[in-house]
Amino acid sequence: MTAHAISIYEDFPLTCQTCPARHDGICAEIDDDELLRIGRIKRYQKWGAGETIAIEGGSLPFVGSVVKGSACLTRSLSDGRVQMVGMLLPSDFVGKPGYKTASYEITAISNVTFCTFDTVSFKKFLGSSSGVSSRLLDMTLNDLDNARSWMLLLGRKTAREKVAHFLSLLFQRVRPRLSPLRCTLPLTRDTIATYLGLSLETVSRQVTALRRDGLIRLENNGRTMLCDDLSALRLAAGETTLD
Amino acid sequence: MTAHAISIYEDFPLTCQTCPARHDGICAEIDDDELLRIGRIKRYQKWGAGETIAIEGGSLPFVGSVVKGSACLTRSLSDGRVQMVGMLLPSDFVGKPGYKTASYEITAISNVTFCTFDTVSFKKFLGSSSGVSSRLLDMTLNDLDNARSWMLLLGRKTAREKVAHFLSLLFQRVRPRLSPLRCTLPLTRDTIATYLGLSLETVSRQVTALRRDGLIRLENNGRTMLCDDLSALRLAAGETTLD
DNA sequence: CGTAGGATTGATGATGTTCAAAATTGGTGG
DNA sequence: CCACCAATTTTGAACATCATCAATCCTACG
């Protein structure tokens, strides 16, 4: 969101063999031979925190996976209202093979590295690799399920439930170490609000309310969250199924 | 939503050659040879209006496309709040190849016919048909884009904008004949409300307001809508891009 | 020590929900 | 043909929730 972002911030050795997404992303199901083939058409690209990677309806000449860092997807109305519609974490894929236009704005949250492919070459590659295409379909269907779960949150949950839901997702990503679960937010209140379809003040108030009710504790000026009882938090989020 | 639905309501001759979804759905990109192959594993299944096809987290042993009629996808909270998360129209696909569990409730809106495949056999078939799998990926990515557009609507649009958006989508599906555009709703106010994340009373009030403002006209006890100026309606919906 | 960015808190008002009642329509049977 | 019934829609009034505007607090950092 801030200006003065940088395009190249760091160099580190990165190959398909050392890729953090090797066993989670689109390459999860393929063997070393195929990895070699896809490796020949990849190209790493980096963006600095806050930089805009693509704008809604603008050019997006590549598809690719996040290797390191995170980014967010947003859609907006002409008067400035913004809704986050997705978050990209390591191994997540973005873009439409064969198309060169972005459906939403893509912004780097932190410094981020993508493993990218020319959108047309990648579509061609898909035709020759049932491993990658079946995995990509699977991942996309999961994204669709997640988007639809978020629709339930946006359309029907209360502010309190929304914030509790967001936090419980956060804690579930932390390795389930001994409690308390501890998590330092990479996002500001404003970004969380954009994600949850709320105002930043409402997010702040609900965080305070959850703290008052003993469901979470805060540290570090409200940027680090602690949770002693995740199931209680999930209950406050209106969650029923254990996914 | 009503009881007393029927499972078999009508028989009509249906083959891949006469299939209404032949050139829109997952078979759009394949030739007659491949059509023959996929035709061997298909099985038509029918449900009556209002019938439940699958429940959230329940068994869904098939994947498939709508051939005729329509169905809706919903997710709900334990206290009864419901959010529609998608609508299935002819040529739309549902289900996850290789998996047998539904992520949401699937309900027939009207009498509906699906062209179904055993979820495991279909996954196998995908591996042997790059035409179907590339088309299915494309369709799923479009579904994902649509779901994310709907997230913007649910999270940020006002009730008036939501209803105007819904109606303009409706009118855009009608063949752009001479105005006025005319459309008879297959949905009740209650269903529309479930779709838009509103109460049915608010939907009714906003429809009235749009009529009062001359953006639409009503017939047939509010179940048939007329529109003289689609672009005005789209403006009221907060739409900017022409998609 | 001062400043800037982010977070919190307070007061007020707009928007949409809820509960309740009345109006409209299509279908059914006398 | 008409009266009645059920389902749906519309309308009204009171209320709850969340957004907005504004001020203040906190912390990291120069």
Side-chain angles (χ1 to χ4, degrees):
Chain A
M1 306 294 174
T2 53
H4 310 303
I6 51 169
S7 276
I8 307 293
Y9 56 91
E10 188 194 3
D11 270 311
F12 63 97
L14 188 55
T15 66
C16 285
Q17 274 71 32
T18 65
C19 176
R22 169 68 177 93
H23 299 288
D24 298 314
I26 58 171
C27 299
E29 290 177 358
I30 63 179
D31 56 27
D32 288 341
D33 282 349
E34 209 160 340
L35 195 64
L36 215 63
R37 282 179 51 222
I38 196 172
R40 283 197 208 99
I41 59 170
K42 76 166 189 289
R43 176 179 155 223
Y44 294 118
Q45 290 187 258
K46 300 176 179 185
W47 284 265
E51 275 192 314
T52 300
I53 298 169
I55 62 170
E56 225 177 306
S59 163
L60 185 67
F62 62 85
V63 299
S65 301
V66 175
V67 172
K68 191 185 168 195
S70 54
C72 66
L73 311 177
T74 56
R75 291 198 63 138
S76 32
L77 297 172
S78 48
D79 64 359
R81 282 172 286 173
V82 182
Q83 176 64 49
M84 196 184 297
V85 297
M87 188 148 51
L88 297 177
L89 296 173
S91 86
D92 286 338
F93 183 87
V94 70
K96 298 171 93 168
Y99 298 90
K100 300 192 168 190
T101 303
S103 310
Y104 12 77
E105 180 162 330
I106 309 174
T107 312
I109 296 176
S110 61
N111 291 344
V112 63
T113 304
F114 281 81
C115 173
T116 66
F117 308 89
D118 171 75
T119 180
V120 176
S121 320
F122 187 79
K123 188 175 176 64
K124 225 171 284 171
F125 178 83
L126 276 184
S128 75
S129 164
S130 75
V132 174
S133 60
S134 101
R135 174 72 181 139
L136 184 55
L137 178 62
D138 238 55
M139 290 171 62
T140 306
L141 284 166
N142 279 329
D143 287 348
L144 184 57
D145 279 359
N146 289 333
R148 285 171 166 168
S149 298
W150 212 254
M151 286 170 61
L152 174 63
L153 175 143
L154 292 173
R156 297 297 173 187
K157 289 198 171 181
T158 65
R160 181 187 173 90
E161 288 169 333
K162 285 178 175 182
V163 172
H165 186 126
F166 172 81
L167 292 176
S168 70
L169 279 190
L170 211 71
F171 286 122
Q172 280 172 264
R173 261 212 291 276
V174 181
R175 287 271 146 272
R177 226 172 301 157
L178 281 316
S179 55
L181 295 166
R182 178 187 304 265
C183 199
T184 298
L185 297 188
L187 308 173
T188 65
R189 296 285 184 269
D190 186 57
T191 310
I192 298 170
T194 300
Y195 204 15
L196 296 176
L198 295 171
S199 69
L200 73 92
E201 294 93 335
T202 298
V203 171
S204 180
R205 275 184 250 271
Q206 295 302 332
V207 168
T208 303
L210 292 172
R211 182 175 56 73
R212 178 171 36 71
D213 298 347
L215 290 168
I216 56 171
R217 286 179 289 146
L218 301 184
E219 278 181 3
N220 184 20
N221 194 24
R223 282 211 301 275
T224 298
M225 308 267 174
L226 302 173
C227 179
D228 300 297
D229 184 353
L230 183 56
S231 60
L233 192 59
R234 287 174 58 86
L235 193 66
E239 294 297 287
T240 51
T241 57
L242 293 168
D243 41 8
Chain B
M1 303 292 177
T2 53
H4 309 303
I6 51 169
S7 277
I8 306 293
Y9 55 92
E10 188 194 3
D11 269 313
F12 62 97
L14 188 54
T15 66
C16 286
Q17 274 70 31
T18 65
C19 176
R22 169 67 177 93
H23 299 289
D24 298 314
I26 57 171
C27 298
E29 290 176 357
I30 63 179
D31 56 26
D32 288 342
D33 281 350
E34 210 160 340
L35 195 66
L36 215 63
R37 282 180 50 224
I38 197 173
R40 283 197 208 98
I41 60 170
K42 75 166 190 291
R43 177 178 153 223
Y44 294 117
Q45 290 187 258
K46 299 176 182 185
W47 284 266
E51 275 192 313
T52 299
I53 298 170
I55 62 170
E56 225 178 306
S59 164
L60 185 68
F62 62 85
V63 298
S65 300
V66 175
V67 172
K68 191 185 168 196
S70 54
C72 67
L73 312 177
T74 57
R75 292 198 62 137
S76 33
L77 297 171
S78 48
D79 64 359
R81 284 173 284 174
V82 182
Q83 177 64 52
M84 197 185 297
V85 297
M87 187 149 51
L88 297 176
L89 297 173
S91 85
D92 285 339
F93 183 87
V94 69
K96 299 171 92 167
Y99 297 90
K100 300 192 170 192
T101 303
S103 309
Y104 11 76
E105 180 161 331
I106 309 174
T107 313
I109 297 177
S110 60
N111 290 345
V112 63
T113 305
F114 280 81
C115 173
T116 65
F117 308 89
D118 171 75
T119 181
V120 176
S121 320
F122 187 79
K123 189 176 176 64
K124 226 171 281 170
F125 177 83
L126 277 183
S128 74
S129 163
S130 74
V132 174
S133 61
S134 102
R135 175 71 181 140
L136 183 55
L137 178 62
D138 238 55
M139 289 171 62
T140 307
L141 284 166
N142 279 329
D143 287 349
L144 184 57
D145 279 359
N146 289 334
R148 285 171 166 167
S149 298
W150 212 253
M151 286 169 62
L152 173 64
L153 176 144
L154 291 173
R156 296 298 172 186
K157 289 199 173 182
T158 64
R160 181 186 173 90
E161 289 168 332
K162 285 178 174 181
V163 172
H165 185 125
F166 172 80
L167 293 176
S168 70
L169 280 188
L170 213 70
F171 286 121
Q172 280 171 264
R173 260 212 292 274
V174 180
R175 288 271 148 270
R177 226 172 302 156
L178 280 314
S179 57
L181 296 166
R182 178 188 304 265
C183 200
T184 299
L185 295 188
L187 308 173
T188 66
R189 296 285 183 269
D190 186 57
T191 310
I192 298 170
T194 301
Y195 203 15
L196 296 175
L198 296 172
S199 69
L200 72 93
E201 294 93 335
T202 298
V203 171
S204 179
R205 276 185 249 272
Q206 295 302 331
V207 167
T208 303
L210 292 173
R211 182 174 56 74
R212 178 172 34 72
D213 298 347
L215 290 167
I216 57 171
R217 285 180 291 143
L218 301 185
E219 278 180 4
N220 184 18
N221 193 26
R223 283 213 299 275
T224 298
M225 308 265 174
L226 302 173
C227 178
D228 299 297
D229 184 354
L230 183 56
S231 61
L233 193 59
R234 286 175 58 88
L235 193 67
E239 295 297 287
T240 50
T241 57
L242 294 168
D243 43 6

